[in-house]
Amino acid sequence: MVTSGKPQGAPEPAGESCRLPWPFDVYEAQCPTRMVLDRIADKWAVLILDRLRDGPVRFNHLRRDIKGISQKVLSQTLKKLERDGLLSRAVFPTVPVTVEYALTPLGRTLTDAVAAIAHWAERNMDAVLAAQAAYDARAGGDPG
Amino acid sequence: MVTSGKPQGAPEPAGESCRLPWPFDVYEAQCPTRMVLDRIADKWAVLILDRLRDGPVRFNHLRRDIKGISQKVLSQTLKKLERDGLLSRAVFPTVPVTVEYALTPLGRTLTDAVAAIAHWAERNMDAVLAAQAAYDARAGGDPG
DNA sequence: CAGAATCCTGTTAGATACTG
DNA sequence: CAGTATCTAACAGGATTCTG
């Protein structure tokens, strides 16, 4: 048991490092925006945030929808996103217990940008695939 | 329930990859969009793409601007982004050699979304920091 | 159902040194 | 300047097990 009251995933001291007045600069290594960027620039976080756009979703529902995510990673990611104030967690004392996750107002301001990323991937997949094929043909099979 | 109209019944033909007719679905574990999402939902990729918005930038210039990135990671990320067709690499036979990276038209369609993420982090840093503090106070030191 | 704890492994990133 | 190669430490993440 290594935790001293906090989950294993987020031992970073928040806010004390970068004392830039304003605005924050993501290009600065010590700026806290880097941490946020690292959080939201994450495949699973993107999918979760996008998934919650339609409304609250239960834990196992998210797990089923976001195919390939493990329970552990889902749990961790949800916790981090909750800590960042991007989503809220509501527990209903049913039996068995029901837990719903939903976007907070702050989270909602982000999901548009995040959804844009996900949708871009879907829309431009063909072009990316073609570019990869061209690159591989160039690098792998064309010595002369 | 707001289940989106997805080609859920699409049979998985072979072990190759997801060959859904259209559109690609990022929620499918085997969909190639997952790979793209993993690529562009990356802290360094976001910073690089955003940095190239103003025009071509040389390797070491990027390295200096994006503080904290190692030359190895920069090199790797650039190569992947180039392979995906998001940016181009131009070599000038000067002495010493000069290499410029620039966004491709495809990359340019992405950078707006990507920049939105980076800018969101800068603009909403305060709110996130506050949320984290509240969460930590709740979880770490407020048993009652 | 929702999640925590444990174990274990593959990937990654950082540092360092070398090349053209 | 613009990389590549290598080695190692750290961590992320999957599978499994257990709980309320």
Side-chain angles (χ1 to χ4, degrees):
Chain A
M1 222 75 76
V2 65
T3 55
S4 51
K6 224 180 298 183
Q8 58 189 31
E12 303 113 67
E16 310 289 356
S17 325
C18 169
R19 47 271 192 252
L20 291 172
W22 183 269
F24 296 103
D25 185 359
V26 286
Y27 290 101
E28 287 298 325
Q30 259 57 44
C31 193
T33 50
R34 276 290 177 84
M35 182 196 60
V36 177
L37 189 60
D38 207 26
R39 178 84 16 97
I40 62 185
D42 170 70
K43 179 174 63 176
W44 300 123
V46 165
L47 290 173
I48 290 171
L49 290 172
D50 184 61
R51 199 61 186 145
L52 292 176
R53 290 182 93 197
D54 298 328
V57 182
R58 284 184 300 104
F59 184 86
N60 275 347
H61 199 144
L62 279 172
R63 187 141 94 104
R64 278 191 302 270
D65 286 348
I66 303 174
K67 298 187 176 62
I69 196 172
S70 70
Q71 172 269 326
K72 180 187 175 184
V73 171
L74 176 58
S75 179
Q76 282 176 169
T77 309
L78 285 171
K79 197 175 292 184
K80 289 175 185 172
L81 292 174
E82 184 195 358
R83 188 174 106 102
D84 289 348
L86 296 174
L87 53 83
S88 60
R89 179 176 176 273
V91 182
F92 300 94
T94 56
V95 42
V97 65
T98 299
V99 179
E100 274 189 358
Y101 290 90
L103 291 174
T104 61
L106 180 63
R108 206 157 265 293
T109 67
L110 174 63
T111 37
D112 278 341
V114 153
I117 300 285
H119 289 140
W120 186 95
E122 291 180 339
R123 273 183 317 207
N124 296 91
M125 195 60 234
D126 292 324
V128 172
L129 252 25
Q132 287 179 351
Y135 183 96
D136 292 346
R138 196 178 316 256
D142 188 20
Chain B
M1 194 175 192
V2 209
T3 41
S4 53
K6 242 174 307 199
Q8 195 97 0
E12 230 70 52
E16 284 295 330
S17 50
C18 157
R19 56 189 64 182
L20 292 170
W22 183 271
F24 296 103
D25 184 358
V26 285
Y27 290 101
E28 288 296 324
Q30 258 57 43
C31 194
T33 51
R34 274 290 177 83
M35 181 196 60
V36 178
L37 189 60
D38 207 25
R39 177 85 16 95
I40 63 186
D42 171 70
K43 179 175 61 176
W44 300 123
V46 165
L47 290 172
I48 290 172
L49 291 172
D50 183 61
R51 190 69 193 83
L52 292 177
R53 289 184 94 194
D54 298 329
V57 182
R58 285 184 299 103
F59 183 87
N60 274 347
H61 199 143
L62 279 171
R63 187 141 93 105
R64 278 192 301 271
D65 286 349
I66 302 173
K67 298 188 177 63
I69 196 172
S70 69
Q71 130 275 20
K72 178 188 176 183
V73 171
L74 177 59
S75 179
Q76 285 175 350
T77 308
L78 286 171
K79 195 174 293 183
K80 289 175 185 173
L81 291 174
E82 184 195 358
R83 188 175 106 99
D84 289 348
L86 297 174
L87 54 83
S88 61
R89 179 175 175 273
V91 182
F92 300 95
T94 55
V95 183
V97 66
T98 298
V99 179
E100 274 188 0
Y101 291 90
L103 291 174
T104 61
L106 180 63
R108 205 158 265 293
T109 66
L110 175 62
T111 37
D112 279 341
V114 153
I117 300 284
H119 288 141
W120 185 94
E122 292 179 339
R123 272 184 317 202
N124 296 91
M125 195 61 233
D126 292 325
V128 171
L129 252 25
Q132 288 178 352
Y135 182 95
D136 291 347
R138 196 178 315 257
D142 188 19

